[in-house]
Amino acid sequence: MGKKLLEVKNLKKYFKTPNGALHAVDDVTFTIEEGKTLGVVGESGCGKSTLGRTVLGLLESTDGHIIFDGEDVTHVNKAKFHELRRDMQIIFQDPYSSLNPRMAVADIIAEPLEIFNICKTKEEKEEKVKELMDLVGLDQRFINSYPHELDGGRRQRIGIARALALEPRFIVCDEPVSALDVSIQAQILNLMQDLQEQRNLSYMFITHNLSVVKHISDDIMVMYLGQMVELCEGKELFKNNLHPYTKALLSAIPKASIKSKIDRIVLRGELTSPINPHPGCRFAPRCNYAGDECFSVNPTLEEILPGHFVSCHKVKEINNL
Amino acid sequence: MEKLLEVKDLTIHYDTDAGSVEAVNNVSFELNKGETLGLVGETGAGKSTVALGIMQLVPNPPGVIKSGQIIFEGKDLVTTSEKEMRKIRGDKISMIFQDPMTALNPVKTVEDQIVEVISLHQNLSKKDALVKACEMLELVGIKAERITDYPHQFSGGMKQRVVIAIALACNPALLIADEPTTALDVTIQAQVIEMMAKLKNELGTSMILITHDLGVVAEMCDKVAVVYAGEIVEYGTLEDIFEDPNHHPYTVGLFGAIPDLDKETDRLSPIDGLMPDPMNLPQGCNFSPRCPHATEKCKTVNPCACEVGPGHTIKCHLFAKEAE
């Protein structure tokens, strides 16, 4: 086991709405080791982005603990929050709206360096920006370009360079490749893997794309309506998935092959509302195995197999364990 | 099999002040009744422009159909008058757009929007049109009582079903679906794909499916055209594209770029570089600047489509010898 970098315990984030509390993240617990990647998968509205932002402290958590490098950072003052940005960074989904259109590439990448007064002279700053551009595979001729002049892949590289400028140890990657075409997506994924190896980075990789998450993650957490339903090693999840939602999710991916036709589990219905949810399993209304218990009692996350956590009342029954 | 649509040497350019954007160049394909053709390619490949060309909806100016024919049920749509086209659109050919959030009118009820297309094309009384609209809604799996709802009251997957109901309301011979499931979550995508496949079989509709997702292609299509920089670089049956060992280097790159769920790969093998600017296409083969097999010839001579098997064509010099 490597060194634990981030530990999240029973994290909750509720939003107040006129109709009641929206349970965006409900009782989420996980750890990320140094140099490893935790993939977080789920459909839109399952709370995965809120989780990422809450972990970084961009959103105030409602309950629970966030421990970064042995230190509780759940509630920190402004100065400490500021300091933490050097270690924790984020790459956003949309390379169009996450870059200021009125700033040139050099200024965007240099902004974190300026905020932390890292470079003494102008020359030093320019040197550092160029270094970062090389690192992410961005041609130096773009140094004075504006974001609108560049395509999505190059813009995402700017976002990555900006996140890396302060040499963080942990990066939340919020759907970093979803807005990109497949061939560009592959280039960015390879780049992120290289950077992780070089710098021993830890990633929390948020995505709805299961083949991407399988490719890049060491551990994978599946979320449904704010709750974690399954957490285990990446390979294990694809070989031996136990939760009925994970099974349905995996079978729903169209495969780029005509040989392997799978029996698809098509889920009925759609997500229920996360506002003041009823007790019981949130997946129960769409689950083929749901019994009375599932509609009344909240399932808890249990270690069903070594290192394999599942939150389901019927898990043993369904999988003949 | 009966031929429904034949596109011959279609070339569409957007003439702008900065120059001519060569969006579609010499594209040809055929579609038989009941078949589904997949147009696969990345953003900017010209897939959607082909679809707009068939619908005669290319925005003009700046878009111009420079040459080619689009023969639908024996009639060339390129020379058809706008008045005639308005009768065909929504009736014989209809289209599903990528984004169901923007394809529906937010200030009109779903009822108004489905009834509109029915009353435009079919000689039905108001009452009968409403009955038909309710039937369509039930067909796509939405309860008829929700017909008086507004689009914002539906979820994304349901909105896309409403769009499909509108598109199929007049039982079109050809349905063009432009990235119909891209905006949806995977489990909802699975529902919509299952429903579209079912309806297509029941109604015998031909379909052109535009997508960048090879998985969706594998599920739905009979024939596949791989589009790159405004050209069809490979064309064949589903088996040709997924099973045949002969492929255009771009098709190989496209497959190499997707992480495979069944295999363990440490690194992906993406295609280097970017798609060329359609305003400034390279000399010779459009793919040559990114192609690992490019020779001098590729940089000067634009290859022709070579037949490597019955109905399987590849537009690449690598396969030219076998054809000679």
Side-chain angles (χ1 to χ4, degrees):
Chain A
M1 277 250 301
K3 188 180 159 226
K4 270 184 205 166
L5 184 68
L6 179 78
E7 232 182 313
V8 169
K9 287 182 188 160
N10 304 98
L11 191 70
K12 288 181 187 162
K13 174 68 199 173
Y14 297 169
F15 291 104
K16 273 186 206 147
T17 72
N19 304 323
L22 188 152
H23 294 220
V25 175
D26 219 347
D27 215 355
V28 169
T29 301
F30 62 86
T31 55
I32 301 178
E33 287 169 25
E34 231 164 30
K36 299 281 184 195
T37 303
L38 173 77
V40 180
V41 251
E43 296 176 85
S44 37
C46 76
K48 50 192 193 307
S49 293
T50 306
L51 176 65
R53 278 158 208 234
T54 314
V55 165
L56 287 180
L58 299 176
L59 292 169
E60 183 88 3
S61 58
T62 311
D63 196 16
H65 293 280
I66 304 159
I67 295 151
F68 183 77
D69 202 15
E71 192 181 350
D72 193 321
V73 295
T74 323
H75 302 284
V76 289
N77 60 24
K78 229 175 167 181
K80 178 72 188 163
F81 175 85
H82 187 66
E83 196 191 308
L84 276 172
R85 297 311 103 194
R86 294 195 70 152
D87 284 327
M88 305 167 99
Q89 278 291 334
I90 182 164
I91 299 169
F92 295 96
Q93 167 168 13
D94 185 357
Y96 296 83
S97 61
S98 60
L99 302 177
N100 186 338
R102 299 177 60 163
M103 282 167 83
V105 172
D107 299 329
I108 294 174
I109 300 176
E111 199 177 16
L113 301 171
E114 277 162 17
I115 292 171
F116 284 90
N117 266 329
I118 286 178
C119 302
K120 302 281 172 295
T121 61
K122 234 179 164 181
E123 289 73 33
E124 196 185 329
K125 192 170 78 187
E126 199 182 313
E127 201 50 44
K128 180 89 185 156
V129 167
K130 284 185 176 164
E131 212 175 280
L132 283 161
M133 287 177 76
D134 283 341
L135 186 70
V136 298
L138 202 62
D139 209 323
Q140 288 189 3
R141 72 191 152 100
F142 295 117
I143 194 156
N144 291 318
S145 305
Y146 284 86
H148 76 266
E149 297 172 271
L150 306 175
D151 60 88
R154 290 211 177 98
R155 282 186 221 207
Q156 200 55 296
R157 286 178 199 264
I158 301 175
I160 296 173
R162 177 176 61 183
L164 288 172
L166 297 170
E167 299 178 7
R169 294 150 73 192
F170 171 67
I171 303 182
V172 171
C173 315
D174 191 357
E175 305 257 17
V177 295
S178 306
L180 308 174
D181 272 318
V182 278
S183 70
I184 309 300
Q185 176 179 311
Q187 292 173 2
I188 298 289
L189 286 176
N190 281 346
L191 169 69
M192 293 183 69
Q193 279 180 310
D194 291 342
L195 292 170
Q196 179 167 45
E197 273 168 38
Q198 286 167 20
R199 305 192 154 207
N200 203 25
L201 290 168
S202 305
Y203 291 141
M204 179 170 158
F205 200 99
I206 300 168
T207 181
H208 67 277
N209 187 327
L210 288 147
S211 38
V212 166
V213 87
K214 181 189 180 213
H215 182 77
I216 201 153
S217 307
D218 297 294
D219 292 324
I220 298 180
M221 175 163 104
V222 183
M223 285 183 76
Y224 186 81
L225 270 180
Q227 292 177 324
M228 47 199 298
V229 298
E230 193 159 355
L231 169 66
C232 65
E233 209 181 295
K235 281 178 195 151
E236 167 89 356
L237 188 84
F238 284 84
K239 257 187 257 154
N240 187 22
N241 41 69
L242 302 175
H243 196 281
Y245 175 66
T246 314
K247 287 177 195 286
L249 193 65
L250 292 184
S251 84
I253 322 168
K255 286 223 175 88
S257 151
I258 49 173
K259 272 187 225 148
S260 53
K261 281 282 170 240
I262 27 154
D263 287 328
R264 171 159 300 161
I265 311 161
V266 176
L267 289 175
R268 297 159 290 145
E270 299 182 34
L271 295 181
T272 40
S273 164
I275 296 173
N276 288 336
H278 298 292
C281 175
R282 292 189 190 166
F283 182 59
R286 295 174 82 186
C287 182
N288 293 329
Y289 305 96
D292 293 342
E293 189 189 11
C294 301
F295 286 97
S296 53
V297 185
N298 251 335
T300 47
L301 199 70
E302 280 176 61
E303 191 164 5
I304 302 293
L305 297 169
H308 194 147
F309 299 86
V310 184
S311 159
C312 175
H313 291 302
K314 303 261 178 181
V315 60
K316 291 195 170 139
E317 199 178 305
I318 296 167
N319 297 291
N320 301 318
L321 291 171
Chain B
M1 265 204 274
E2 210 179 330
K3 209 183 281 176
L4 179 77
L5 176 79
E6 192 178 0
V7 175
K8 279 191 212 161
D9 296 323
L10 184 67
T11 301
I12 304 174
H13 290 180
Y14 294 101
D15 290 327
T16 65
D17 290 343
S20 179
V21 179
E22 300 175 1
V24 174
N25 300 306
N26 289 318
V27 163
S28 305
F29 59 84
E30 288 174 14
L31 188 66
N32 293 327
K33 280 203 170 139
E35 264 183 357
T36 300
L37 170 77
L39 289 183
V40 197
E42 296 177 82
T43 316
K47 315 181 294 284
S48 295
T49 304
V50 171
L52 292 177
I54 296 169
M55 295 289 274
Q56 293 293 301
L57 286 174
V58 178
N60 181 7
V64 189
I65 297 184
K66 292 274 178 187
S67 63
Q69 290 176 305
I70 301 165
I71 297 164
F72 175 74
E73 292 185 332
K75 192 195 266 178
D76 187 356
L77 298 182
V78 177
T79 54
T80 305
S81 70
E82 177 59 22
K83 204 176 156 201
E84 281 286 296
M85 269 320 291
R86 292 189 74 157
K87 285 188 193 152
I88 295 173
R89 274 185 222 129
D91 187 24
K92 291 202 171 130
I93 309 180
S94 42
M95 189 154 173
I96 302 173
F97 295 91
Q98 171 169 3
D99 187 358
M101 325 302 163
T102 50
L104 294 170
N105 186 338
V107 298
K108 282 185 152 185
T109 62
V110 165
E111 175 184 333
D112 289 343
Q113 300 187 51
I114 308 180
V115 166
E116 183 185 14
V117 62
I118 297 171
S119 51
L120 269 176
H121 294 293
Q122 291 176 357
N123 217 352
L124 290 177
S125 70
K126 250 187 179 169
K127 212 173 125 200
D128 289 343
L130 181 61
V131 171
K132 171 94 189 178
C134 289
E135 273 173 33
M136 287 316 298
L137 214 52
E138 293 271 352
L139 190 69
V140 295
I142 299 176
K143 288 199 181 87
E145 67 211 40
R146 295 204 59 184
I147 198 157
T148 49
D149 285 358
Y150 286 89
H152 76 267
Q153 290 167 294
F154 293 95
S155 67
M158 286 171 105
K159 270 186 223 161
Q160 194 61 297
R161 285 158 195 258
V162 171
V163 173
I164 294 171
I166 294 171
L168 293 176
C170 293
N171 201 359
L174 175 64
L175 179 66
I176 302 175
D178 189 356
E179 306 261 12
T181 58
T182 308
L184 308 175
D185 275 318
V186 273
T187 61
I188 308 298
Q189 168 173 291
Q191 289 175 359
V192 171
I193 287 180
E194 194 195 48
M195 190 197 74
M196 283 175 68
K198 197 180 115 229
L199 293 178
K200 202 188 76 143
N201 283 339
E202 278 173 17
L203 307 172
T205 317
S206 305
M207 189 153 92
I208 295 178
L209 179 73
I210 297 172
T211 180
H212 65 273
D213 188 333
L214 287 162
V216 173
V217 170
E219 299 233 336
M220 299 205 54
C221 299
D222 304 305
K223 283 185 184 163
V224 185
V226 181
V227 187
Y228 183 78
E231 295 177 327
I232 293 182
V233 294
E234 186 165 353
Y235 178 72
T237 61
L238 192 62
E239 287 75 23
D240 289 337
I241 303 294
F242 283 85
E243 301 283 299
D244 198 89
N246 294 322
H247 287 302
H248 191 280
Y250 177 65
T251 315
V252 176
L254 210 53
F255 274 96
I258 1 172
D260 193 330
L261 280 176
D262 298 327
K263 272 187 235 143
E264 290 297 327
T265 35
D266 284 340
R267 280 183 73 81
L268 300 169
S269 36
I271 314 162
D272 284 336
L274 300 166
M275 180 123 58
D277 181 357
M279 221 184 257
N280 186 17
L281 290 177
Q283 282 248 308
C285 172
N286 284 343
F287 189 59
S288 61
R290 298 174 78 183
C291 182
H293 310 289
T295 60
E296 278 309 308
K297 192 181 175 192
C298 301
K299 286 174 191 149
T300 47
V301 187
N302 199 6
C304 306
C306 313
E307 192 154 20
V308 293
H312 183 191
T313 57
I314 299 175
K315 191 173 175 299
C316 177
H317 287 306
L318 285 179
F319 297 92
K321 270 186 223 133
E322 289 164 38
E324 272 161 17

